[in-house]
């Protein structure tokens, strides 16, 4: 016995106690003692001791007699004799239960009258590990199990506590488990089940708003609309819209807490299913299908309407579908008014990330006193300005296109032509409309950004929008101004001059490169219809015919395709709110220019000029084989063509009497024939 206590770290005099009269009393002699250390603090050890001593010995030692020794009176009691007298004595003994001579343990119904149930209790509570392997093994086993349980508890959820559980089973009951409370278990609503909620009595929600949305979705899924008869900051009550139906629900917020609990819930309907559900409105549909519109903003409205009606088993009109789409896009991009209020921070971020860029915001006085209202926004990036001045021609195509947002407005754009005859967006502005004031404001900022001083070297090409001609003359008085021939022909047809013959006559006059050829083509048009030829009297040929184009820009374009091409790339952006649109435009320009840089670095480094210029030179070389050059001196040549035309070529001044060399900067077929005769490479005479 002492060895066991010494193994547990217990030394010295040992005194043991037994339980008697609701207290421990000292026992002089002990039998068996088991002990193990619970914890150690310095030299002090807390030890748990288990005493193994029979109750029989305790009774004999403490009471002075053997409690299991049966006397004669007790034999009589057992045999049924003198039962009345014994009963009276017992009654007297019970009345004096506090007597010091009373035996604490009764010889009848004691712990030693064991039955099969006692054996079963012993087997259920005995620890076989401690019995067969010892206390030290039992201690080590409990410690390992405790550590393993702690590790598993830490691995249950590695995410933040604010993340919603994956299933309803992960929500702990507020009042215990199912085994403890049965049907009274309180469940916390899982927001992931919002599309198909399962409402229960005593269910908890985070807010009143969440509870209302769950009730609405539940009613829609059931096909029985409800109405909210009471709603404030702390209470929410709803009932079925059908008269006489018992379905109702009541939820209330806890005092001092933010959680909301369903207090009353009658989930039995007397009404039938209906497809006419007022709860399924444009706002509800827009919020529910917000992510679908985010992934595909241009989803077919009719297809979406049929799909939504099939999923929710309800009716929904086409107008409601359009309103739902608009509300969903407002949720995605924010309302237009909100985006206009964020223009200041947005402009600051653009200036911070693109130093040197021009971002000009113009406002006017609003309806409220001291409040400013948006009018115009101009944007031109620093890198775009530098790239245009270094590698593009002195030609600017301008155009205006309507915006499709709620606020409306017009997007003014300026597009240049790069060295490969590709579009080069320069600047754009959002204005209130196309008029002389807005175009003048746009042209002044553009002229300042591009540092245009000698405007006579520049050419402005447009579609003759409202106020544009007057603004161009005001800002660029000496610049050449060209109009798109396609739009000119459209106006020509609108005036009543239709037909394929007149169309061909118009384009022939526009493509003429010399004044003499232009006059001849106009005479051919007059021969077809004299009134058609007179229609061009108030339209200067310098605005639509190559015969009178300026040669500074080295471009003989007749169509404003560069602006039309850019407009085709930004169709989706024009439907967005202003900041979203500006970001899409910026992203398109950034990606396009980077792609061109990558292509030029990988594929064009072997060439002296860009591929489209080389291709154009090659076509003119093919035509030059039909020309016959005659040398006049080292610089002057006369070239004869198969149809009897003769042209004069000056290699030194890089001119030809056909004017194609001066207009495009690329040697014409006549010049190429003369250069071949002079044994010179035509590629060296392409304008830089």
């Amino acid at each position: 016995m002492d060895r066991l206590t010494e193994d547990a770290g217990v030394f010295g005099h040992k005194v043991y106690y037994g339980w008697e009269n609701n207290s421990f009393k000292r026992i002089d002699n002990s039998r068996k003692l088991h002990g193990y250390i619970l914890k150690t603090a310095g030299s002090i050890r807390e030890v748990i001791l288990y005493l193994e001593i029979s109750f029989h010995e305790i009774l004999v030692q403490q009471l002075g007699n053997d409690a299991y020794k049966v006397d004669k009176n007790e034999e009589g009691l057992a045999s049924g004799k003198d039962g009345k007298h014994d009963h009276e004595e017992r009654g007297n003994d019970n009345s004096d239960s506090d007597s010091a001579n009373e035996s604490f343990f009764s010889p009848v119904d004691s712990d030693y009258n064991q039955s099969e149930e006692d054996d079963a209790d012993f087997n259920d509570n005995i620890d076989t590990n401690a019995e067969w392997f010892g206390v030290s093994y039992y201690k080590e086993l409990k410690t390992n199990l405790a550590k393993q349980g702690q590790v598993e508890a830490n691995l249950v959820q590695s995410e933040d506590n604010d993340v919603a559980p994956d299933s309803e089973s992960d929500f702990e009951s507020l009042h215990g488990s199912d085994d403890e409370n049965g049907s009274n278990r309180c469940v916390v609503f899982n927001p992931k089940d919002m599309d198909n909620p399962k409402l229960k009595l005593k269910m908890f929600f985070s807010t009143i708003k969440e509870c209302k949305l769950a009730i609405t979705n539940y009613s829609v899924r059931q096909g029985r609309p409800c109405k909210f008869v009471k709603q404030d900051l702390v209470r929410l009550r709803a009932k079925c819209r059908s008269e006489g139906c018992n379905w109702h629900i009541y939820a209330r917020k806890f005092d001092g807490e933010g959680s909301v609990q369903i207090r009353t819930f009658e989930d039995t309907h007397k009404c039938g299913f209906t497809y006419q559900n007022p709860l399924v409105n444009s706002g509800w549909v827009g919020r529910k299908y917000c992510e679908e519109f985010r992934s595909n903003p241009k989803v077919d409205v009719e297809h979406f309407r049929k799909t939504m009606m099939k999923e929710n088993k309800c009716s929904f009109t086409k107008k409601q579908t359009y309103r739902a789409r608009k509300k969903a896009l407002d949720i995605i991009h924010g309302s237009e008014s909100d985006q206009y209020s964020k223009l200041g921070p947005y402009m600051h971020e653009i200036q911070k990330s693109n130093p040197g860029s021009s971002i000009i915001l113009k406002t006017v006085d609003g309806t409220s006193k001291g409040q400013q209202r948006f009018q115009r926004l101009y944007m031109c990036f620093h890198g775009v300005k530098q790239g245009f001045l270094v590698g593009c021609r002195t030609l600017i195509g301008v155009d205006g296109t309507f915006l499709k947002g709620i606020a409306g407005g017009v997007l003014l754009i300026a597009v240049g032509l790069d060295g490969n005859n590709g579009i080069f967006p320069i600047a754009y502005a959002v204005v209130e409309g196309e008029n002389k004031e807005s175009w003048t404001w746009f042209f002044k900022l553009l002229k300042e950004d591009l540092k245009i001083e000698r405007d006579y070297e520049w050419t402005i090409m447009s579609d003759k929008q409202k106020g544009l001609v007057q603004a161009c003359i005001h800002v660029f008085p000496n610049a050449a101004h060209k109009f798109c021939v396609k739009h000119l022909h459209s106006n020509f047809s609108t005036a009543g001059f239709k037909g394929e013959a007149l169309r061909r006559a118009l384009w022939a006059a526009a493509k003429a490169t010399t004044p003499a050829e232009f006059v001849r083509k106009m005479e051919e048009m007059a021969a077809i219809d004299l009134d058609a030829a007179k229609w061009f009297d108030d339209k200067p040929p310098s605005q639509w015919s190559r015969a009178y184009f300026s040669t500074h820009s080295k471009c003989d374009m007749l169509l404003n395709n560069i602006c039309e091409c850019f407009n085709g790339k930004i169709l989706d952006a024009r439907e967005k709110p202003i900041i979203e649109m500006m970001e899409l435009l910026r992203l398109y320009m950034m990606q396009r220019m980077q792609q061109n840089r990558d292509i030029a670095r990988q594929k064009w480094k072997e060439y002296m000029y860009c591929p489209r210029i080389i291709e154009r030179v090659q076509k003119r070389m093919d035509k030059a084989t039909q020309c016959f050059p005659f040398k006049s001196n080292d610089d002057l040549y006369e070239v004869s063509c198969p149809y009897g035309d003769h042209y004069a070529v000056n290699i030194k001044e890089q001119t030809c009497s056909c004017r194609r060399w001066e207009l495009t900067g690329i040697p014409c077929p006549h010049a190429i024939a003369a250069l071949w005769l002079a044994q010179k490479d035509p590629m060296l005479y392409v304008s830089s």
Side-chain angles (χ1 to χ4, degrees):
M1 193 69 256
D2 291 339
R3 180 181 59 79
L4 292 175
T5 57
E6 290 175 0
D7 291 341
V10 180
F11 302 96
H13 180 66
K14 295 174 283 298
V15 179
Y16 310 117
Y17 295 86
W19 179 263
E20 181 182 351
N21 292 337
N22 296 326
S23 63
F24 285 103
K25 291 189 177 181
R26 180 170 177 174
I27 301 176
D28 292 336
N29 298 320
S30 63
R31 289 297 181 267
K32 291 184 179 181
L33 182 69
H34 299 284
Y36 67 89
I37 300 173
L38 182 62
K39 62 180 179 179
T40 303
S43 59
I44 302 175
R45 296 181 178 179
E46 183 177 349
V47 182
I48 299 297
L49 300 177
Y50 293 94
L51 178 67
E52 294 186 6
I53 184 170
S54 66
F55 284 106
H56 180 261
E57 292 177 323
I58 294 176
L59 291 173
V60 173
Q61 185 177 8
Q62 296 293 323
L63 302 179
N65 62 344
D66 190 349
Y68 293 96
K69 184 177 181 181
V70 182
D71 55 13
K72 294 181 179 181
N73 294 330
E74 291 170 342
E75 287 182 358
L77 177 62
S79 60
K81 298 178 181 180
D82 199 14
K84 182 178 180 180
H85 178 72
D86 183 70
H87 177 74
E88 291 177 357
E89 290 181 356
R90 289 191 179 188
N92 295 333
D93 291 340
N94 292 335
S95 63
D96 193 17
S97 60
D98 295 334
S99 173
N101 296 327
E102 178 192 5
S103 175
F104 183 79
F105 294 96
S106 172
V108 182
D109 194 23
S110 68
D111 288 340
Y112 281 85
N113 291 337
Q114 296 181 1
S115 63
E116 293 182 358
E117 294 181 357
D118 295 329
D119 294 336
D121 291 339
F122 176 81
N123 293 329
D124 291 340
N125 294 279
I126 193 65
D127 192 334
T128 57
N129 292 329
E131 180 179 5
W132 294 100
F133 299 104
V135 178
S136 60
Y137 174 84
Y138 180 71
K139 284 174 49 186
E140 183 178 357
L141 180 63
K142 288 185 63 179
T143 303
N144 294 337
L145 291 175
K147 291 181 179 179
Q148 182 179 359
Q150 183 64 30
V151 172
E152 293 177 352
N154 294 336
L155 294 176
V156 169
Q157 181 173 334
S158 60
E159 299 177 354
D160 296 337
N161 294 330
D162 294 337
V163 178
D166 292 335
S167 63
E168 186 177 301
S169 62
D170 294 331
F171 287 89
E172 291 294 337
S173 171
L174 299 181
H175 301 287
S177 63
D178 290 337
D179 296 337
E180 296 172 350
N181 295 284
S183 61
N184 293 327
R185 180 174 181 248
C186 299
V187 181
V188 178
F189 177 73
N190 187 352
K192 291 185 177 181
D193 299 332
M194 185 60 75
D195 289 340
N196 187 18
K198 304 294 183 182
L199 302 183
K200 298 180 180 180
L201 186 64
K202 296 186 179 181
M203 177 177 281
F204 280 87
F205 298 85
S206 300
T207 60
I208 288 286
K209 183 178 179 180
E210 182 185 67
C211 181
K212 181 180 179 181
L213 182 58
I215 295 174
T216 301
N217 293 351
Y218 181 80
S219 298
V220 173
R221 300 291 293 186
Q222 295 292 320
R224 296 172 174 86
C226 70
K227 62 179 179 180
F228 295 91
V229 297
K230 181 68 176 179
Q231 180 182 357
D232 52 28
L233 298 177
V234 296
R235 291 170 294 180
L236 186 66
R237 186 186 300 275
K239 68 177 184 179
C240 184
R241 288 179 177 268
S242 300
E243 295 294 335
C245 184
N246 296 331
W247 188 94
H248 66 276
I249 188 171
Y250 173 72
R252 184 181 179 88
K253 183 183 292 186
F254 272 89
D255 295 336
E257 297 183 12
S259 57
V260 180
Q261 187 185 35
I262 296 178
R263 303 292 184 88
T264 306
F265 186 32
E266 176 59 48
D267 196 21
T268 303
H269 281 277
K270 291 184 178 180
C271 58
F273 187 91
T274 177
Y275 286 93
Q276 303 296 330
N277 197 333
L279 296 176
V280 184
N281 51 35
S282 59
W284 183 84
V285 174
R287 289 188 295 270
K288 180 178 177 64
Y289 294 93
C290 181
E291 291 302 321
E292 185 168 338
F293 284 108
R294 186 193 302 273
S295 59
N296 186 13
K298 290 191 173 183
V299 62
D300 182 70
V301 174
E302 186 62 23
H303 174 73
F304 169 78
R305 186 177 74 90
K306 293 180 179 179
T307 303
M308 192 279 302
M309 292 173 59
K310 182 178 180 181
E311 290 180 358
N312 298 282
K313 298 180 178 62
C314 62
S315 61
F316 205 65
T317 65
K318 195 170 184 178
K319 290 184 178 180
Q320 285 180 311
T321 309
Y322 278 107
R323 290 196 294 267
R325 176 179 177 271
K326 179 186 174 301
K327 291 181 179 180
L329 295 178
D330 287 342
I331 295 173
I332 296 170
H333 305 297
S335 65
E336 297 231 6
S337 57
D338 292 341
Q339 294 219 3
Y340 280 103
S341 63
K342 298 176 182 178
L343 280 176
Y346 174 72
M347 294 168 58
H348 175 74
E349 289 298 322
I350 293 294
Q351 287 283 12
K352 182 179 178 181
S353 58
N354 297 270
S357 300
S358 298
I359 309 174
I360 310 300
L361 175 65
K362 188 178 187 303
T363 59
V364 294
D365 294 335
T367 55
S368 302
K369 185 178 180 180
Q371 185 179 7
Q372 295 294 307
R373 183 170 57 88
F374 172 87
Q375 187 182 26
R376 300 167 187 162
L377 177 64
Y378 170 87
M379 186 171 294
C380 181
F381 293 100
H382 177 71
V384 174
K385 291 186 286 186
Q386 298 300 318
F388 177 79
L389 294 175
V390 171
C392 295
R393 308 171 199 180
T394 57
L395 170 76
I396 301 175
V398 293
D399 193 13
T401 179
F402 290 100
L403 300 178
K404 300 180 181 180
I406 299 177
V410 176
L411 180 68
L412 306 182
I413 59 174
V415 184
L417 201 63
D418 62 17
N420 195 38
N421 283 347
I423 64 172
F424 192 96
I426 306 170
Y428 46 88
V430 178
V431 298
E432 71 280 8
E434 283 191 273
N435 50 56
K436 180 181 177 181
E437 290 75 17
S438 61
W439 277 113
T440 301
W441 179 78
F442 180 70
F443 280 144
K444 285 182 177 179
L445 295 175
L446 185 64
K447 183 178 182 179
E448 182 180 351
D449 280 335
L450 300 182
K451 299 178 175 60
I452 299 176
E453 297 178 355
R454 297 179 294 182
D455 57 352
Y456 61 87
E457 297 180 353
W458 291 78
T459 299
I460 308 297
M461 190 169 190
S462 69
D463 296 339
K464 207 173 183 178
Q465 286 86 356
K466 296 179 180 179
L468 188 147
V469 177
Q470 297 85 345
C472 183
I473 295 174
H474 178 72
V475 181
F476 304 104
N478 301 315
H481 194 183
K482 297 195 299 187
F483 294 139
C484 178
V485 178
K486 182 178 180 180
H487 288 79
L488 185 66
H489 175 259
S490 177
N491 296 336
F492 184 63
S493 299
T494 304
F497 305 105
K498 301 179 181 179
E500 184 66 19
L502 289 176
R503 187 188 71 83
R504 290 186 178 184
L506 171 60
W507 279 98
K511 293 179 180 180
T513 58
T514 62
E517 184 182 3
F518 173 77
V519 172
R520 188 169 62 252
K521 297 301 181 182
M522 290 301 294
E523 290 176 352
E524 293 177 0
M525 181 187 296
I528 299 173
D529 190 336
L530 182 60
D531 293 334
K534 290 182 178 180
W535 187 80
F536 291 93
D537 290 345
D538 60 344
K539 297 169 180 59
S542 61
Q543 296 179 351
W544 59 279
S545 178
R546 289 173 178 170
Y548 297 93
F549 281 174
S550 171
T551 59
H552 288 288
S553 61
K554 303 301 179 185
C555 180
D556 62 347
M557 289 178 56
L558 295 174
L559 301 175
N560 195 12
N561 284 344
I562 53 177
C563 291
E564 298 298 335
C565 180
F566 182 73
N567 287 336
K569 299 292 185 181
I570 62 172
L571 289 176
D572 294 339
R574 289 162 52 192
E575 301 178 358
K576 308 295 184 183
I578 184 167
I579 292 182
E580 187 77 11
M581 179 187 68
M582 289 292 182
E583 279 295 282
L584 290 177
L585 293 177
R586 181 190 61 82
L587 184 62
Y588 166 73
M589 294 173 62
M590 179 184 69
Q591 290 179 329
R592 175 179 177 80
M593 294 181 181
Q594 181 58 41
Q595 289 174 0
N596 288 341
R597 283 193 292 266
D598 293 340
I599 293 175
R601 187 165 43 248
Q602 297 172 6
K603 299 181 180 180
W604 300 354
K605 60 183 180 180
E606 299 178 357
Y607 305 106
M608 185 182 302
Y609 297 98
C610 298
R612 290 178 181 173
I613 304 302
I614 297 176
E615 181 181 356
R616 194 166 182 181
V617 172
Q618 188 62 45
K619 289 181 179 180
R620 293 192 176 185
M621 286 182 178
D622 295 339
K623 294 181 180 180
T625 58
Q626 302 176 6
C627 300
F628 302 95
F630 302 96
K631 184 175 182 181
S632 175
N633 56 38
D634 291 340
D635 298 325
L636 297 177
Y637 293 82
E638 181 180 346
V639 180
S640 175
C641 294
Y643 300 102
D645 297 330
H646 293 264
Y647 298 94
V649 177
N650 190 328
I651 296 177
K652 183 178 181 180
E653 295 181 2
Q654 298 186 5
T655 60
C656 179
S657 57
C658 73
R659 295 187 74 247
R660 287 188 177 90
W661 196 353
E662 299 98 301
L663 285 173
T664 61
I666 301 173
C668 61
H670 320 119
I672 293 176
L675 290 171
W676 281 344
L677 182 60
Q679 297 183 355
K680 297 181 183 295
D681 186 2
M683 294 300 300
L684 299 178
Y685 286 84
V686 177
S687 176
S688 59

